[in-house]
Amino acid sequence: MFNMTSLKARKARFLNRWHARAATRTRAQVKGFVSSPEPRTIGSFARGRQLIAGNFLFAGTLVNAPGQSMWAIEPPDANYAAELQGFSWLDDLAALGDPAARSAAQDWLWGWIEIYGKGKGPGWTPDLTGRRLIRWINHALFVLRGQEAAQSKAFYRSLEQQTQFLSRRWRGAAPGLPRFEALTGLIYAGLALEGQEALADPAIKALARECSIQIDDQGGLPTRNPEELLAVFTLLTWAGAALHDVGRTPPREHLAAIERIAPTLRSLRHADGGLARFHGGGRGVEGWLDHALAASNVRATQPEGLAMGYARLSAGRTSVVIDADTPPVEDASVNAHASTLAFELTSGRRPLVVNCGSGASFGLEWRRAGRATPSHSALSLGGFSSARLAEPDRHSGLEELIDGPTHVPVEISSAPDGLRFQGGHNGYVKSHGLTHARTLELTLDGRGLAGEDMLLAMEDGDKRRFDAALDAGELKGLRFDIRFHLHPDVDATLDLGGAAVSMALKSGEIWVFRHDGAHNLSLDPGVYLETTRLKPRAAQQIVLTGMAFTYATRIRWSLSKAQETAIGVRDLSMDDPYSDDD
């Protein structure tokens, strides 16, 4: 079958190669910087030490090659190669900052120029070139110290070549984060390098247009990926700071985008400072979110209602973030997760209820598993997802999320003792005739979360679908599972009799899960997926299982914090929260 996406990709690769080689033939003009660049990226001291020791951990794969150049390594996959070529690791070496780190940075940077500087190799894409330019300019003083004139000349010539390439090829970057990276890199280079000033103005205008197109009224991206939104926000603040450094004011659209995104990120920020993990995004590097928000100088509070399609309940030391919208569509759907109405809960500095996360760094099978509803703290019917994964594209191996929820009504209001979230989605109507409705109530002190999940056949057509699904199962009922994935640091125990689960956090807090007693409660093995790890982490999950026989099925449960008293641990949940039988 003719594949337009693959044709576009092949055309883009051809144009990248052509423009990269053309850029290497330009007459050198750059001999230095207009002004000394100030580093704004944040590196990891620990990762810097790992690199010096020859432990190259990128995209979830570790290659141990002490004493070797990273360019002598055969990248195990394209994601690994991209992380090498993007030079974000230069932040880590600069964070370490000792003579050994500088020597390694210099060897590997000039090694790249020697091997790839003539316009060949996987690094000549607009987004990676933009990412690489930002790092080279940020850490120029670090890498140029002690270098000979010939090496400095090669450095500046390569900067110019990459800048010229970007000026011709930034439009080839995919909309969203890749294009923001390409344009920010071009702005950085245009403002910082001698003789490249004329390239800055078109890039500044183009970035402003992208802000208007890509950043919606809620301060969100089409992908609904919180970590990707933070990356875009960081790039915009960097570009804005670079403009201020040379006495220029960013365009109105640029500043407005920063002002829209900042409150949204605050809504997606858990009590421990990490991001909610949805739609392929992770928690972010520790301290990154707080640093980015502080650098933006935007003091706006969290918005009312939804933020990029997420709802937030926060009280005391507890934060709850809920996916309260339909999954991303079109191009963004290749990374979307079937997570509608899933939630995460963090108590103080400790995550408690989480989603499994993105398994993309562990291969296609883990990537596919991580996107399914059972990998989220949500309700699933018979192991099905609330959205279906299409067959993978034979060229890219990626599949789209299709047939998902199209209607997600939401209401956030006050409850007698706290805050209430009410939402529903129609992701199971087409397959089972059932609408899933979820209510979450967080107490004012943040010490208790009461939940109610309902499965409803609402319209006559829905009831007929439900009856047909029931008949197909020989009237044994439609099985549902409500999962609560626990962070790996949570020590959970199923109480005798299977009536409750006790969960101990490393902070010493004890949380207790209870339910209405009408369904089966189990504590099963789970998994926690992080791109910075070599393999998935073992975890646990609470699973509440039951069967739907009628047009209306209700399941009630609670999470409550216990406190230590003179006679031991006391459960702070209501004495009998399920006493009414209505």
Side-chain angles (χ1 to χ4, degrees), residues 80-356:
Y80 193 101
E83 290 202 19
L84 289 179
Q85 295 282 336
F87 271 74
S88 294
W89 47 265
L90 198 55
D91 299 336
D92 304 321
L93 292 177
L96 184 56
D98 61 17
R102 177 179 287 108
S103 177
Q106 292 169 340
D107 289 346
W108 295 338
L109 189 150
W110 271 273
W112 185 92
I113 294 175
E114 181 179 351
I115 298 170
Y116 303 107
K118 294 183 179 180
K120 297 179 181 180
W124 286 93
T125 63
D127 54 327
L128 290 178
T129 303
R131 191 185 309 171
R132 188 168 55 246
L133 276 175
I134 292 171
R135 268 64 188 189
W136 284 27
I137 293 170
N138 269 351
H139 303 300
L141 297 179
F142 175 66
V143 297
L144 285 172
R145 181 173 297 178
Q147 296 296 81
E148 301 292 336
Q151 292 168 310
S152 294
K153 182 178 180 180
F155 176 76
Y156 288 118
R157 176 171 177 77
S158 184
L159 280 176
E160 181 182 3
Q161 292 166 347
Q162 294 177 65
T163 303
Q164 291 293 329
F165 167 76
L166 260 190
S167 71
R168 302 170 184 176
R169 284 298 300 146
W170 68 261
R171 295 175 183 82
L177 178 57
R179 190 166 293 177
F180 281 106
E181 282 190 309
L183 287 170
T184 301
L186 185 54
I187 291 170
Y188 250 56
L191 296 177
L193 299 174
E194 291 180 353
Q196 305 300 301
E197 296 87 348
L199 301 180
D201 284 336
I204 293 166
K205 293 178 182 177
L207 185 64
R209 286 195 301 271
E210 291 300 311
C211 287
S212 298
I213 296 170
Q214 292 294 319
I215 310 300
D216 62 22
D217 293 340
Q218 287 187 10
L221 291 170
T223 61
R224 300 192 55 229
N225 180 327
E227 190 175 24
E228 187 172 309
L229 180 67
L230 174 56
V232 168
F233 179 73
T234 302
L235 290 167
L236 292 178
T237 58
W238 286 349
L243 286 165
H244 284 300
D245 286 348
V246 296
R248 300 182 59 172
T249 301
R252 174 177 52 83
E253 298 87 348
H254 184 153
L255 295 175
I258 292 175
E259 292 176 357
R260 290 199 305 276
I261 295 173
T264 296
L265 286 173
R266 288 192 170 94
S267 291
L268 299 173
R269 179 187 184 276
H270 272 301
D272 64 344
L275 283 166
R277 299 176 358 127
F278 286 97
H279 295 293
R283 289 173 45 80
V285 176
E286 186 174 356
W288 178 19
L289 175 55
D290 288 342
H291 183 273
L293 289 171
S296 72
N297 294 316
V298 177
R299 304 302 177 207
T301 57
Q302 298 165 12
E304 295 184 3
L306 301 184
M308 201 167 73
Y310 298 95
R312 176 187 174 88
L313 304 178
S314 180
R317 301 174 66 248
T318 302
S319 62
V320 179
V321 179
I322 309 139
D323 186 351
D325 205 347
T326 58
V329 296
E330 297 177 353
D331 291 342
S333 68
V334 298
N335 292 307
H337 286 210
S339 58
T340 304
L341 298 189
F343 77 96
E344 291 191 322
L345 183 151
T346 295
S347 177
R349 302 293 297 177
R350 300 294 176 182
L352 176 62
V353 178
V354 297
N355 296 308
C356 289

Side-chain angles (χ1 to χ4, degrees), residues 286-579:
E286 186 174 356
W288 178 19
L289 175 55
D290 288 342
H291 183 273
L293 289 171
S296 72
N297 294 316
V298 177
R299 304 302 177 207
T301 57
Q302 298 165 12
E304 295 184 3
L306 301 184
M308 201 167 73
Y310 298 95
R312 176 187 174 88
L313 304 178
S314 180
R317 301 174 66 248
T318 302
S319 62
V320 179
V321 179
I322 309 139
D323 186 351
D325 205 347
T326 58
V329 296
E330 297 177 353
D331 291 342
S333 68
V334 298
N335 292 307
H337 286 210
S339 58
T340 304
L341 298 189
F343 77 96
E344 291 191 322
L345 183 151
T346 295
S347 177
R349 302 293 297 177
R350 300 294 176 182
L352 176 62
V353 178
V354 297
N355 296 308
C356 289
S358 172
S361 62
F362 305 117
L364 290 176
E365 290 302 317
W366 275 112
R367 177 182 180 275
R368 188 180 181 91
R371 299 176 68 196
T373 302
S375 293
H376 300 82
S377 293
L379 178 147
S380 61
L381 273 175
F384 289 95
S385 287
S386 58
R388 185 164 62 88
L389 291 173
E391 288 300 315
D393 174 77
R394 64 186 179 91
H395 295 280
S396 66
L398 303 180
E399 64 280 272
E400 289 184 305
L401 207 63
I402 59 174
D403 292 340
T406 58
H407 182 53
V408 186
V410 167
E411 182 178 342
I412 303 172
S413 60
S414 297
D417 184 35
L419 301 170
R420 177 186 293 127
F421 165 85
Q422 293 174 294
H425 76 77
N426 62 348
Y428 297 117
V429 168
K430 187 174 181 180
S431 59
H432 297 82
L434 292 173
T435 293
H436 175 213
R438 167 166 275 185
T439 299
L440 301 174
E441 292 187 3
L442 182 66
T443 57
L444 288 174
D445 58 8
R447 301 181 71 88
L449 180 72
E452 178 182 86
D453 288 289
M454 297 189 71
L455 291 169
L456 306 167
M458 303 176 69
E459 306 292 338
D460 289 342
D462 300 341
K463 293 175 181 178
R464 287 193 291 271
R465 287 193 190 95
F466 175 78
D467 290 338
L470 203 61
D471 290 340
E474 299 178 351
L475 304 179
K476 294 180 180 179
L478 301 184
R479 172 175 169 155
F480 62 83
D481 300 293
I482 307 175
R483 287 179 166 82
F484 304 84
H485 291 276
L486 306 179
H487 190 272
D489 291 338
V490 177
D491 185 11
T493 304
L494 183 65
D495 292 351
L496 292 177
V501 175
S502 297
M503 295 157 285
L505 308 186
K506 284 194 172 182
S507 61
E509 291 181 0
I510 303 292
W511 284 74
V512 179
F513 177 88
R514 297 186 183 277
H515 65 107
D516 56 13
H519 307 94
N520 181 64
L521 177 65
S522 63
L523 186 61
D524 297 346
V527 70
Y528 190 76
L529 305 170
E530 295 175 284
T531 57
T532 56
R533 295 273 179 162
L534 295 178
K535 57 183 179 180
R537 297 177 67 186
Q540 294 174 291
Q541 59 175 314
I542 299 170
V543 184
L544 197 56
T545 302
M547 306 295 287
F549 291 96
T550 64
Y551 297 147
T553 301
R554 181 174 68 173
I555 313 99
R556 292 187 293 175
W557 50 267
S558 68
L559 284 161
S560 57
K561 188 187 298 186
Q563 70 179 15
E564 292 189 5
T565 67
I567 58 173
V569 175
R570 179 169 63 89
D571 185 3
L572 290 181
S573 61
M574 295 177 287
D575 290 340
D576 190 3
Y578 308 115
S579 59

